[in-house]
């Protein structure tokens, strides 16, 4: 079985390539390396002992992507390629809609042209906006609060309309919560450009000495210790979820929308403590103002994903921090 992985050199994509290769799939990656390095794919090959076919191209380059479809016969596509920084999306909305929405249009059009109708799409829990109730279920109202989230919701809507018109598609929309951690080999992990926005990469870089301390964005939320609560899901569990989604989709034509998270809410302080335990390092922190646009708490109800995919995350916050720390220690400057 041949799978096209768009954005496969990136953080979640590279971990998913490992799972695909280990399950016996052939993997073709397209990526323009805007936010990644082809080193990640070399490391995936090292971990699995298997080869990846890699095309460096922009997903919006229809001619180049058409050639990839001509040269390969795909049984399915996992579509990770996109821009993902919420703050940046507010400053560069045109780029976000162009890459995330237009890029997805091009991909789906070529899939239709070449008769490949199995697609797994990376959406985000950010489409729920600020939920009234937690845990979050798949049928909750959708109200994204920034261009990034709205670009994801647009693609979801587009895919639903494609399915309505032709029910022979097999489409999986996966809404991730907070992916974190790294492969336990320490060979691949998250490699953010510049100052990390997300919590775990920031904590890791404090631990390795790049920053003096963590700034905790508010301790006056109505949560168990006042700091923000999120659902941290180990990236390897998430990668396995993609494999299980592909398998579920292969059984019948359908459109599936699933939340992928751990189902547990953990505060910033909980994660600091877990990281201190994993690294045997003190993580100094100071409490600063709340970050604009942050919500108090978000975590998923895992019942539906478990029922539909038989998927249950295996790893907890301790394993997330142990693996993130191993990756950070082995690669203090990422893939450079
Ligand atoms: P990432 O940036 O590591 O991976 C995305 C990949 O897409 C990168 O390798 C990048 O170079 C590539 N890319 C970007 N623009 C491209 C273009 N025009 N053409 C071809 N390739 C392009 O991000 P990630 O964390 O692995 O996220 C993967 C997907 O999951 C994204 O769509 C993201 O929006 C979504 N997602 C991520 C998170 C998260 O917290 N990491 C949460 C929810 C959803
Ligand atoms: C962010 C994005 C969200 C995206 C998600 C996963 C925003 C507003 N939301 O959400 O759309 O889907 O990442 O990529 O950016 N924190 C600190 N100090 C830090 C960093 C984070 O205290 O230096 C806190 C945050 O306030 C939050 C928690 O840690 O309570 C997690 O933050 P983060 O990793 O940025 O994820 P999200 O806020 O869930």
């Amino acid at each position: 079985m041949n799978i096209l992985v768009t954005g496969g050199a990136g953080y979640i994509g590279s971990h998913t390539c490992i799972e695909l290769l280990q399950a016996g799939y052939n993997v073709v990656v397209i990526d323009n390396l805007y936010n990644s390095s082809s080193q990640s794919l070399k490391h995936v090959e090292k971990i699995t002992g298997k080869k990846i076919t890699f095309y460096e191209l922009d997903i919006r380059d229809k001619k180049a992507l058409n050639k990839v479809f001509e040269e390969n016969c795909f049984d399915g596509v996992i579509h990770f390629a996109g821009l993902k920084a919420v703050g940046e999306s507010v400053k560069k909305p045109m780029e976000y809609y162009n890459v995330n929405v237009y890029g997805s249009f091009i991909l789906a059009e070529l899939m239709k042209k070449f008769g490949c109708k199995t697609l797994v799409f990376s959406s985000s829990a950010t489409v729920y906006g600020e939920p009234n109730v937690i845990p979050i279920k798949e049928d909750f109202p959708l109200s994204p609060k920034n261009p990034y989230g709205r670009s994801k919701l647009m693609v979801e809507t587009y895919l639903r309309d494609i399915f309505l018109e032709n029910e022979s598609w097999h489409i999986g929309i996966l809404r991730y919560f907070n992916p974190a951690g790294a492969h336990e080999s320490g060979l691949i992990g998250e490699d953010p450009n510049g100052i990390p926005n997300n919590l775990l990469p920031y904590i890791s870089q404090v631990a390795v000495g790049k920053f003096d301390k963590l700034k905790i964005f508010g301790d006056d939320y109505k949560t168990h210790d006042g700091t923000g609560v999120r659902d941290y899901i180990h990236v390897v569990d998430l990668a396995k979820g993609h494999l299980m989604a592909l398998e579920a989709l292969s059984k019948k034509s359908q459109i599936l929308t699933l939340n992928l998270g751990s189902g547990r809410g953990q505060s910033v302080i909980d994660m600091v403590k877990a990281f201190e335990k994993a690294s045997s390092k003190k993580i100094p922190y100071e409490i600063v103002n709340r970050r604009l646009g942050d919500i108090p708490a978000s975590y998923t109800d895992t019942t539906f994903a478990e029922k539909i995919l038989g998927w249950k995350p295996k790893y907890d916050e301790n394993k997330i921090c142990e693996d993130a720390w191993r990756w950070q220690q082995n690669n203090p400057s990422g893939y450079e």
Side-chain angles (χ1 to χ4, degrees):
M1 296 271 272
N2 290 326
I3 305 296
L4 172 65
V5 183
T6 78
Y11 173 47
I12 307 171
S14 55
H15 287 82
T16 303
C17 286
I18 294 184
E19 299 304 321
L20 288 168
L21 290 166
Q22 285 178 340
Y25 291 93
N26 294 319
V27 173
V28 175
V29 166
I30 67 123
D31 199 303
N32 68 352
L33 305 180
Y34 172 81
N35 194 38
S36 53
S37 157
S38 58
Q39 277 302 318
S40 64
L41 298 176
K42 299 229 164 62
H43 291 193
V44 169
E45 290 180 336
K46 190 168 170 192
I47 292 165
T48 58
K50 299 193 174 162
K51 286 269 165 226
I52 290 176
T53 307
F54 174 54
Y55 296 85
E56 186 177 338
L57 62 86
D58 193 302
I59 192 162
R60 295 164 295 174
D61 184 343
K62 195 169 185 176
K63 211 169 146 196
L65 194 56
N66 190 82
K67 194 153 177 278
V68 175
F69 274 87
E70 273 171 3
E71 288 175 7
N72 301 273
C73 180
F74 295 120
D75 300 289
V77 177
I78 307 184
H79 178 32
F80 294 105
L83 304 179
K84 64 165 183 175
V86 172
E88 190 185 53
S89 77
V90 178
K91 294 188 186 111
K92 299 179 177 172
M94 284 186 174
E95 275 170 68
Y96 271 69
Y97 285 109
N98 201 280
V99 174
N100 293 359
V101 181
Y102 177 64
S104 301
F105 290 175
I106 299 285
L107 177 67
E109 283 169 18
L110 288 174
M111 289 178 70
K112 183 180 172 191
K113 177 176 170 188
F114 286 89
C116 172
K117 289 200 173 152
T118 300
L119 173 64
V120 176
F121 170 63
S122 296
S123 188
S124 166
T126 200
V127 296
Y128 294 109
E130 184 165 349
N132 296 323
V133 186
I134 34 179
I136 299 173
K137 295 187 182 176
E138 284 80 355
D139 59 0
F140 275 25
L142 304 176
S143 176
K145 301 282 182 255
N146 48 66
Y148 166 68
R150 285 189 280 271
S151 74
K152 289 290 176 188
L153 184 53
M154 277 187 188
V155 179
E156 287 198 8
T157 309
Y158 171 69
L159 295 177
R160 274 183 238 293
D161 283 338
I162 285 178
F163 185 79
L164 274 180
E165 187 267 325
N166 182 339
E167 293 192 354
S168 67
W169 283 84
H170 306 240
I171 298 175
I173 294 171
L174 305 183
R175 296 179 180 149
Y176 315 147
F177 279 66
N178 292 64
H183 190 260
E184 73 177 355
S185 62
L187 286 172
I188 62 165
E190 195 167 7
D191 181 16
N193 278 334
I195 300 173
N197 292 311
N198 295 120
L199 181 66
L200 253 292
Y202 202 100
I203 295 181
S204 307
Q205 296 198 9
V206 171
V208 86
K210 279 198 185 169
F211 302 110
D212 298 345
K213 58 188 167 200
L214 169 72
K215 292 190 181 95
I216 296 186
F217 300 138
D219 66 348
D220 55 352
Y221 288 110
K222 283 188 185 150
T223 59
H224 60 271
D225 58 21
T227 65
V229 162
R230 295 292 184 273
D231 180 327
Y232 297 94
I233 174 78
H234 197 296
V235 65
V236 173
D237 277 327
L238 192 60
K240 289 183 199 297
H242 289 73
L243 211 66
M244 295 174 93
L246 266 186
E247 280 158 16
L249 288 172
S250 70
K251 294 194 182 113
K252 62 173 189 251
S253 17
Q254 57 188 316
I255 183 155
L256 272 176
T257 304
L258 298 169
N259 288 349
L260 294 187
S262 70
R264 298 169 62 223
Q266 274 154 333
S267 73
V268 179
I269 302 275
D270 291 336
M271 296 311 285
V272 167
K273 286 188 185 146
F275 205 96
E276 287 183 337
K277 190 169 148 205
S279 64
S280 307
K281 294 250 179 195
K282 186 88 197 129
I283 307 294
Y285 65 80
E286 67 169 325
I287 308 292
V288 300
N289 288 338
R290 290 180 178 194
R291 180 172 64 180
L292 202 70
D294 265 0
I295 55 175
S298 159
Y299 57 91
T300 185
D301 183 322
T302 54
T303 319
F304 193 56
E306 207 179 316
K307 184 177 152 207
I308 300 294
L309 304 184
W311 175 80
K312 225 180 161 164
K314 196 166 144 198
Y315 301 126
D316 65 7
E317 68 279 14
N318 296 314
K319 174 79 170 151
I320 286 177
C321 293
E322 281 160 24
D323 291 337
W325 178 231
R326 187 178 306 106
W327 157 253
Q328 183 68 57
Q329 272 185 303
N330 290 357
N331 310 272
S333 307
Y335 288 109
E336 269 173 23

